[in-house]
Amino acid sequence: MDQTAETIVEAAAEEGWLSTLDIFVISLLAGFCIYWFFLRSKTPEPPPIKKLIVSQTATKTSDPSFVNRMKSSGRNVVVFYGSQTGTAEEFAGRLAKDATRYGMKGLAADPEECDMEELGKLVDIENSLAIFCMATYGEGDPTDNAQEFHDWLQNDGGELTGLKYAVFALGNKTYEHYNAMGIYVDKKLEDLGATRVFEIGLGDDDGNIEEDFVTWREKFWPAVCEHFGVQATGDEVSMRQYVQTLHEDVPKEKVFTGEVVRLGSFKTQKPPFDSKNPYLAPVSINKELHKGGNRSCMHIELDISGSKIRYEAGDHVAVYPINDPEIVEKLGKRMNIDLDTVFTLTNLDEEASKKHPFPCPCSYRTALSHYLDITSPPHKHILKELAEYAGDPKDKEFLLNISANTPEGKTLYSNWIMKDHRNILAILEDLPSVNPAIDHICELLPRLQARYYSISSSPKIHPNHIHITAVLVDYTTNTGRRQMGVATRWLSLKKPCGDARPTVPIYVRKSQFRLPFKSSTPVIMIGPGTGLAPFRGFIQERDYYRKEGKPVGDTMLFFGCRYKAEDFIYEDELTKYEQDGTLTKMYVAFSRDGPEKVYVQHLMKQNKKELWDLLQSGAHLYVCGDARNMARDVQETIMEVVSEHGNLDKTQAAEYVKRLQSKGRYSCDVWS
């Protein structure tokens, strides 16, 4: 009862008006009235649209038995993907959709979410086929989501006799271990008794991986038809994978605002922190490293105090960036949409591993800002879908031509899309009659991926901070549009002001790029530009051991930049390390200061004997930076050193270098 009712009853009792039974009955009636009128839940009025039940995570199918899922849904084709940047996952989805054209039914699957020991049971399904889209990460490593599958294969997997399979590998020719993961899977499956239906496809991201995939795919499906005795059911048609639901009554706390998986994870941070649960690290320092010129290189320090995040020198830190809000606004205006509309995309395939392409529900603004890659040149299949929205027949014909796998189409795509670096906004601006539906765009565009940076600090010196060294990407395309790096543009704005410190979603990815176990082992480090980043951490660690009184071997650094007066980053630090003996030798190449360009490999050639002596004494060699030119030139120089001072021919020198690599004495952390 409330206070008023209690007062009346107490007064009546004192005056003798009511008996004890009367007081009990009145109290009971009063309590019922209070419940009926104030406490009971009201029957809600019917909402204008269907109510949405939102789970606390981005929903995925929980049954790890992909064979059971295939049997229950009448499927006979499964496409597994090992993906680090999303491309292999995208290709897998396209292959799964292709199956419909051949009277088959496909399922794209993440091996991390499947019991891969069931692979041999796939033969229980008639005319079954397993396709593997496998990307290679780092130095021939599997991607994170394919690591367990790789380990299972290494342990000899299981009996796979009767399994029909095919592999498309994704890699980069500038790397030493080109498509190593895909090639390994292709060979290992055969060794375990499986039957290869079509030869492995090799996609090269240094060239045009989309073209490589389409070319392989066009030959692959006819081979499948011949093997299984099936025929294409008709022309390729556009098939939507997701259906859109608009929401008007979802509470704000139930709407995703950029979280990777768990709803509200940015508001309530809970360790452990990883790729699905990044830590919002406060930015302590963000300063310019270049002393002049029109380029920018940032030194950023991220505070990980209290996060329980641990890292080692040589590890990578992943950063989840946000797209330029100006581009997002322009897209919203061009597509004539309200960016703050809340929506959900739900997979039409109930057995799909992903129920949504990204966390839903969210606003269009959130999707275009946090979840979708709106700045990269779109792949051909997206252009083909856009053709259906062209109001002008000429625009439609152009998009169909540019998306065709013909010599003309390849040239058009290379020039108009790749060389001119047209993103989705530029395409829609240059083809004004093309007006696609926003939900279809959200379905077609790939996910915005985390960016990885070599950590430029050592936990021995900075246990509570992770340092990043990054060059701001900023240039003008052939069409006169300004193009900036998604992550570096965003990071450049993350500057602390007084006590206010902006935050950055991060997690640490462990690396094999490690200093020798014994600090007395000599090391040779070669890293021009921001390739210096991991070596700054290495040098800090060697300095720590030296000051602790431990024996530290020779520490040699080859560094390069354009101008000593402009972009010799960390010059004061490196000079001090050289003076106090932490750096035994430092050779710096300034490519633009003299009449002729000088690079790190030129300085290496000038010091061949010193390099050879260190290698003979057990030195570990490290290379970090550009894979396309620098890393290749450095390896050729090492071959020269070995051949000349080891009195070996080219074949023997190559074998010597391979032995260094196999023993972990020649490591690379490179990018293209």
Side-chain angles (χ1 to χ4, degrees), residues 166-385:
V167 176
F168 183 81
L170 297 86
N172 189 307
K173 273 187 178 176
T174 60
Y175 287 69
E176 175 71 19
H177 305 280
Y178 174 55
N179 273 323
M181 178 60 179
I183 292 171
Y184 172 76
V185 170
D186 182 62
K187 180 68 167 61
K188 190 66 177 179
L189 291 175
E190 183 181 42
D191 292 344
L192 294 174
T195 302
R196 185 185 297 107
V197 171
F198 189 62
E199 65 185 19
I200 185 174
L202 301 177
D204 179 19
D205 198 37
D206 186 52
N208 188 334
I209 199 166
E210 165 75 9
E211 186 175 306
D212 295 336
F213 172 69
V214 171
T215 300
W216 176 83
R217 173 184 165 210
E218 288 192 346
K219 296 176 181 178
F220 164 71
W221 282 115
V224 171
C225 288
E226 183 177 351
H227 185 90
F228 289 105
V230 297
Q231 293 182 346
T233 57
D235 295 332
E236 186 174 355
V237 293
S238 174
M239 293 181 292
R240 293 294 300 271
Q241 188 175 352
Y242 296 91
V243 62
Q244 177 179 238
T245 304
L246 299 179
H247 308 292
E248 296 178 1
D249 62 342
V250 181
K252 287 185 178 181
E253 63 272 15
K254 297 294 185 181
V255 177
F256 285 89
T257 56
E259 301 94 330
V260 179
V261 174
R262 182 172 63 86
L263 184 64
S265 61
F266 286 168
K267 292 181 180 179
T268 307
Q269 293 261 276
K270 298 177 183 177
F273 297 106
D274 53 26
S275 60
K276 297 176 181 178
N277 182 37
Y279 175 64
L280 290 179
V283 178
S284 299
I285 294 175
N286 187 339
K287 65 180 182 180
E288 179 60 49
L289 290 176
H290 285 177
K291 292 163 283 189
N294 56 7
R295 298 187 307 139
S296 172
C297 183
M298 300 169 285
H299 171 83
I300 299 171
E301 298 186 10
L302 304 171
D303 190 345
I304 57 172
S305 302
S307 67
K308 298 184 180 180
I309 290 177
R310 300 290 180 265
Y311 75 97
E312 297 293 333
D315 283 343
H316 300 138
V317 60
V319 172
Y320 283 97
I322 299 175
N323 284 315
D324 188 342
E326 183 179 346
I327 298 178
V328 173
E329 289 290 344
K330 285 183 177 179
L331 265 174
K333 186 176 181 180
R334 169 63 180 82
M335 300 186 72
N336 194 29
I337 59 169
D338 178 0
L339 288 169
D340 295 318
T341 299
V342 177
F343 74 110
T344 291
L345 287 182
T346 304
N347 205 317
L348 292 167
D349 182 356
E350 294 182 357
E351 295 298 328
S353 59
K354 288 188 176 181
K355 295 304 179 186
H356 313 289
F358 43 78
C360 292
C362 68
S363 67
Y364 292 134
R365 186 185 305 280
T366 296
L368 295 172
S369 299
H370 294 268
Y371 299 139
L372 297 171
D373 185 349
I374 61 175
T375 59
S376 295
H379 286 163
K380 282 188 173 184
H381 74 286
I382 297 179
L383 302 178
K384 188 170 185 178
E385 298 281 355

Side-chain angles (χ1 to χ4, degrees), residues 61-73:
T61 300
S62 58
D63 187 357
S65 174
F66 68 90
V67 173
N68 287 347
R69 287 158 55 195
M70 291 177 69
K71 286 180 178 178
S72 64
S73 57

Side-chain angles (χ1 to χ4, degrees), residues 335-523:
M335 300 186 72
N336 194 29
I337 59 169
D338 178 0
L339 288 169
D340 295 318
T341 299
V342 177
F343 74 110
T344 291
L345 287 182
T346 304
N347 205 317
L348 292 167
D349 182 356
E350 294 182 357
E351 295 298 328
S353 59
K354 288 188 176 181
K355 295 304 179 186
H356 313 289
F358 43 78
C360 292
C362 68
S363 67
Y364 292 134
R365 186 185 305 280
T366 296
L368 295 172
S369 299
H370 294 268
Y371 299 139
L372 297 171
D373 185 349
I374 61 175
T375 59
S376 295
H379 286 163
K380 282 188 173 184
H381 74 286
I382 297 179
L383 302 178
K384 188 170 185 178
E385 298 281 355
L386 289 179
E388 299 305 312
Y389 293 97
D392 187 335
K394 291 183 179 179
D395 288 347
K396 181 173 184 177
E397 182 182 7
F398 175 75
L399 287 170
L400 290 176
N401 286 338
I402 201 172
S403 60
N405 192 35
T406 61
E408 179 191 5
K410 293 176 181 179
T411 301
L412 266 176
Y413 184 83
S414 175
N415 293 332
W416 201 77
I417 295 292
M418 300 303 295
K419 289 182 180 178
D420 290 349
H421 201 103
R422 278 183 171 85
N423 56 31
I424 185 64
L425 175 61
I427 291 170
L428 295 180
E429 286 178 339
D430 292 344
L431 300 175
S433 83
V434 180
N435 294 295
I438 179 61
D439 60 301
H440 202 180
I441 289 295
C442 290
E443 175 180 323
L444 291 170
L445 292 179
R447 280 291 295 269
L448 179 61
Q449 299 294 323
R451 269 48 173 182
Y452 295 90
Y453 297 93
S454 298
I455 296 175
S456 57
S457 56
S458 166
K460 296 289 190 294
I461 308 298
H462 302 282
N464 295 319
H465 286 83
I466 287 175
H467 296 186
I468 292 176
T469 306
V471 169
L472 176 65
V473 177
D474 189 355
Y475 62 95
T476 302
T477 68
N478 294 337
T479 64
R481 294 179 171 94
R482 187 181 186 186
Q483 182 73 26
M484 299 186 74
V486 174
T488 55
R489 179 209 66 83
W490 184 64
L491 286 172
S492 70
L493 304 175
K494 296 287 183 176
K495 295 181 178 179
C497 182
D499 293 334
R501 298 191 301 171
T503 58
V504 174
I506 67 163
Y507 72 93
V508 169
R509 188 182 197 275
K510 296 299 179 182
S511 168
Q512 300 300 316
F513 202 68
R514 288 278 188 271
L515 278 169
F517 179 74
K518 294 182 179 179
S519 60
S520 58
T521 303
V523 298

Side-chain angles (χ1 to χ4, degrees), residues 631-649:
R632 189 177 296 167
D633 292 341
V634 164
Q635 181 161 327
E636 289 177 359
T637 303
I638 294 297
M639 297 267 284
E640 284 183 30
V641 170
V642 171
S643 179
E644 184 177 325
H645 290 276
N647 295 317
L648 304 174
D649 59 30

